[in-house]
Amino acid sequence: MDVSEQPNIPMLVAYEGKLAGQRWLIEGESLLIGRSPDCDIILPERPVSRHHARIERRPDGQYTIRDLGSKNGTYVNGEEVRDEPRVLHDGDEIQIALCVKLGFVGADATLPLVVEGPSRGLRVDRASRRVFIGGQELTPPLSPAQYRLLTTLLDAGGRVVTREEIVAAVWPEEAKAGITEQAIDALVRRLRERLASLDPDHNYIVTVRGHGFRLENR
């Protein structure tokens, strides 16, 4: 069964690395990540250790990631996972040896399958975080930050989304520390480029100077 048809099961989505575009359901109590053939997720990149990291389900239903003494490290949202396991939350970005990027999709985020938008324009499958433009899937998948920006604009229903709203939606944990306008502009620019790769004749993200941004779907 396709991963988009499986509710209530968290998953990992690869959006950078040799396996970009692949998705793995986390169905058991643990999932081993590494370069060895006996791993549940086999990453072919040389910097990845044979047994690199393990995702485990806790009794309370939360999932954690633990580094298994890898040579090149495991990171969550840019912070290295050291001696203690790190609790994973929906939308977290996992870096394996700084050469593979995975997105963690929490179980709650896979409820239910919702595809939004007209068939000839931009559509988002919220269950699997897949984005389609004109019926063609955008690959590799958007990064967690790009996906959060896109869905924030989509949820606004055409109204202008302020920079403050974008910061709160995309960088909730870092909002108090301050996110520069340059960081926001860079994220918007990169998302525009990704969407333009499938539909170069339409500008989906419109800048409203002095106010913010809005999504203009076809």
Side-chain angles (χ1 to χ4, degrees):
M1 184 179 292
D2 186 88
V3 295
S4 64
E5 299 174 358
Q6 302 243 8
N8 291 312
I9 301 176
M11 73 175 79
L12 293 177
V13 180
Y15 60 90
E16 281 189 19
K18 294 181 179 180
L19 301 182
Q22 290 202 26
R23 297 166 172 83
W24 301 270
L25 292 170
I26 308 175
E27 297 182 279
E29 296 300 312
S30 69
L31 184 142
L32 180 61
I33 302 171
R35 195 160 42 86
S36 175
D38 64 345
C39 290
D40 299 300
I41 296 180
I42 303 171
L43 302 177
E45 285 82 357
R46 291 188 61 83
V48 177
S49 297
R50 288 178 57 80
H51 292 166
H52 196 103
R54 186 187 301 275
I55 292 178
E56 299 173 314
R57 182 182 180 183
R58 301 196 317 191
D60 61 4
Q62 288 189 305
Y63 287 81
T64 63
I65 186 166
R66 179 190 302 273
D67 183 81
L68 300 177
S70 67
K71 180 179 179 181
N72 294 306
T74 301
Y75 301 81
V76 176
N77 299 331
E79 296 183 5
E80 187 172 7
V81 179
R82 295 184 180 274
D83 300 328
E84 296 297 323
R86 170 79 174 259
V87 175
L88 292 172
H89 302 283
D90 178 56
D92 279 350
E93 175 186 290
I94 301 168
Q95 287 180 286
I96 304 294
L98 297 177
C99 65
V100 178
K101 287 187 179 181
L102 307 170
F104 177 76
V105 182
D108 291 343
T110 64
L111 291 169
L113 170 61
V114 178
V115 179
E116 298 186 1
S119 60
R120 78 184 195 91
L122 173 71
R123 296 186 298 120
V124 176
D125 178 344
R126 302 239 181 181
S128 60
R129 299 196 176 195
R130 299 162 75 183
V131 177
F132 299 83
I133 297 179
Q136 186 174 356
E137 184 175 1
L138 186 65
T139 56
L142 297 177
S143 72
Q146 293 165 3
Y147 180 82
R148 285 194 289 266
L149 172 59
L150 178 61
T151 54
T152 298
L153 294 170
L154 186 64
D155 290 344
R159 75 169 178 83
V160 177
V161 178
T162 67
R163 290 174 176 268
E164 290 77 14
E165 289 176 295
I166 290 175
V167 169
V170 177
W171 297 283
E173 296 180 358
E174 293 86 354
K176 294 182 179 180
I179 300 295
T180 66
E181 291 196 0
Q182 290 79 4
I184 299 172
D185 291 338
L187 180 62
V188 170
R189 181 172 62 252
R190 181 56 180 153
L191 180 57
R192 278 195 181 117
E193 291 172 352
R194 293 298 314 278
L195 300 179
S197 68
L198 289 184
D199 192 356
D201 298 325
H202 182 69
N203 182 24
Y204 286 90
I205 304 176
V206 177
T207 300
V208 182
R209 297 195 179 279
H211 296 281
F213 305 90
R214 65 179 176 84
L215 184 73
E216 188 173 291
N217 210 343
R218 280 186 179 277

